[in-house]
Amino acid sequence: MRITRKSPAALLAVAALAAAPLAATVLPSAASTPDPVAVAARPAEGSTNVTVDGHRIILGDARATMGSAEIRQRSGIANLDPVRFPAPTSAVVVGYTTGTPDRSTAEVDVRALVRDQWSEWTPAKPGTPTALPGASDQVQLRIIVSAPPQGAKPWVADVTVQPTDQADPSRMAIQAAPLRSRVFATREGLVGGTTANGHVIVNRDHFVALPSRRGLANKGSGNYSVKVCTTTGTIRCAFEPVWDVGPWNTKDDYWNPSATREMWKDLPQGKPEAQAAYQNGYNGGKDQFGRTVANPAGIDLADGTFWDALGLSNNAWVDATYLWTGDGGRGTVSISSGYLNVRSTPSSSGAVVGMAGKAAQVPVECQTTGQSVSGSQGTSNVWLRVHAGMYVAKAWVSAGSFGAC
């Protein structure tokens, strides 16, 4: 077993922090830089396939059900309670210890609440400053433990976090507008399988997969969502949460600037490694696992997204917008299951020109009045424009008020 120790400065006894799940733990104010604070080994909302043994978070017993032989893994996610600092900070130092037997892995990611939205997850090396995308007084840590299909039980323990002024100038900034890129989309299928965030895939499901955990949403959440639109014929758009990791790679956050990509830093922003490998022979035409890339896919679509929302019959090029990478108005689809129809006019009689999955975030350009609709948010005649010529009823979307169209 390989055990990694955090730096001596980060060693701190773990305390049980009395806070409700997802309520931020508040550090006491101090004139100097606060000492590291212990983060309780208490998996919060969105956690999956982990167990707790004292101060250790350990991979659970759920079996590996998806992926090729080269990449099939048992994996678990533990979201820890957010921590609030007395003042905004531009970087943090995360401390932790790990146990990684038999080819297993364990890591800790961090994200920050910047301008009222969570940034994407960034891997945090123990004892090393990790830059935040903007000054923030609230951060959250996430533990990822993975192992081959049989045996190993990786763990993470003694988690601490500390604000620091040692910021990396190449941090990932939240842009004025989210990144959009044209990528090749493939159908995921795999009904009955379990996604990277613990979601069990159902018939004609609505979600997408991207080849990095940095934009992986919690099970049942749309805190990381994409807009995917067709590029030929009558344009249709889908608004879906990111609930799985793939295709091909698992550390290819191609939507980020080249300097901050986890791998493949010599590729331009917006270009998936699989596309470069397939089209240009990049990396010898292989993915990160050494497999020969058979198509240029940069996004996988669940069956309901592929067939119903976008009306595709074959794999195709699409325009994908990674909504969390930019500012702008947002709403969250508030339905118990299935999808919300996107209409060509602010009326239930308007043509269906797309769909929005459960819990997905939708970008809101403006609002207008139309047919009165009753839904989870009450009865309203307000409709939200989410793309040119595309509307959703606000009665089914949790959102504030927006300017008139």
Side-chain angles (χ1 to χ4, degrees):
M1 176 183 292
R2 178 168 58 88
I3 299 179
T4 303
R5 296 291 179 188
K6 59 187 174 177
S7 62
L11 290 171
L12 189 70
V14 176
L17 304 178
L22 292 185
T25 298
V26 181
L27 299 183
S29 178
S32 59
T33 301
D35 292 330
V37 61
V39 184
R42 181 174 52 234
E45 182 180 2
S47 301
T48 181
N49 194 33
V50 291
T51 62
V52 178
D53 179 12
H55 62 285
R56 298 194 305 169
I57 291 179
I58 308 169
L59 177 63
D61 294 324
R63 64 189 182 92
T65 58
M66 288 169 52
S68 65
E70 298 94 330
I71 65 172
R72 186 175 293 123
Q73 295 275 292
R74 296 153 41 234
S75 63
I77 298 174
N79 298 309
L80 304 183
D81 292 339
V83 173
R84 178 168 290 157
F85 302 123
T89 183
S90 58
V92 293
V93 174
V94 179
Y96 55 93
T97 59
T98 66
T100 53
D102 304 328
R103 295 179 293 119
S104 63
T105 63
E107 69 176 53
V108 178
D109 300 335
V110 61
R111 67 177 182 175
L113 192 65
V114 180
R115 296 195 292 275
D116 297 323
Q117 74 177 64
W118 285 107
S119 65
E120 73 177 33
W121 295 101
T122 301
K125 295 181 180 179
T128 301
T130 301
L132 306 177
S136 175
D137 65 355
Q138 191 169 171
V139 300
Q140 186 178 19
L141 304 179
R142 176 181 74 173
I143 291 169
I144 304 286
V145 280
S146 299
Q150 303 294 328
K153 288 273 193 174
W155 53 264
V156 173
D158 306 322
V159 180
T160 65
V161 63
Q162 177 186 26
T164 179
D165 58 2
Q166 300 177 40
D168 182 346
S170 65
R171 74 180 68 169
M172 291 175 290
I174 296 176
Q175 309 163 124
L179 177 75
R180 183 182 72 179
S181 62
R182 181 157 294 186
V183 294
F184 194 69
T186 49
R187 172 179 160 258
E188 177 159 343
L190 302 174
V191 173
T194 302
T195 67
N197 73 353
H199 169 72
V200 177
I201 302 173
V202 300
N203 188 45
R204 299 189 105 89
D205 216 336
H206 280 260
F207 67 88
V208 305
L210 293 175
S212 168
R213 290 183 184 272
R214 285 187 168 185
L216 180 66
N218 294 336
K219 179 181 177 181
S221 166
N223 49 357
Y224 302 102
S225 294
V226 297
K227 178 174 73 171
V228 185
C229 300
T230 56
T231 59
T232 60
T234 301
I235 302 301
R236 295 176 64 90
C237 292
F239 304 83
E240 306 287 4
V242 182
W243 283 354
D244 205 5
V245 177
W248 295 112
N249 295 300
T250 61
K251 293 188 176 182
D252 184 24
D253 51 323
Y254 62 82
W255 49 88
N256 282 320
S258 299
T260 60
R261 282 172 77 150
E262 193 168 4
M263 294 182 69
W264 325 118
K265 296 179 183 294
D266 54 340
L267 290 177
Q269 184 180 18
K271 188 166 190 175
E273 190 276 341
Q275 181 180 336
Y278 182 81
Q279 293 179 333
N280 311 116
Y282 180 84
N283 194 42
K286 300 181 184 299
D287 68 2
Q288 75 184 73
F289 303 99
R291 299 174 299 178
T292 298
V293 175
N295 60 50
I299 189 170
D300 266 345
L301 309 177
D303 287 353
T305 306
F306 189 92
W307 287 326
D308 303 325
L310 297 180
L312 297 175
S313 57
N314 294 298
N315 298 335
W317 292 95
V318 297
D319 285 332
T321 304
Y322 316 91
L323 298 176
W324 68 92
T325 64
D327 284 333
R330 298 278 191 278
T332 301
V333 176
S334 182
I335 54 179
S336 59
S337 62
Y339 58 87
L340 177 66
N341 281 323
V342 178
R343 304 280 183 175
S344 61
T345 63
S347 168
S348 296
S349 62
V352 176
V353 291
M355 295 174 180
K358 173 187 175 182
Q361 288 193 343
V362 292
V364 180
E365 297 177 350
C366 56
Q367 68 180 42
T368 188
T369 56
Q371 179 187 3
S372 183
V373 173
S374 295
S376 62
Q377 306 303 298
T379 299
S380 174
N381 66 351
V382 175
W383 288 69
L384 307 174
R385 193 174 78 192
V386 294
H387 186 81
M390 297 186 183
Y391 302 85
V392 294
K394 192 178 181 184
W396 292 105
V397 178
S398 175
S401 296
F402 300 90
C405 296

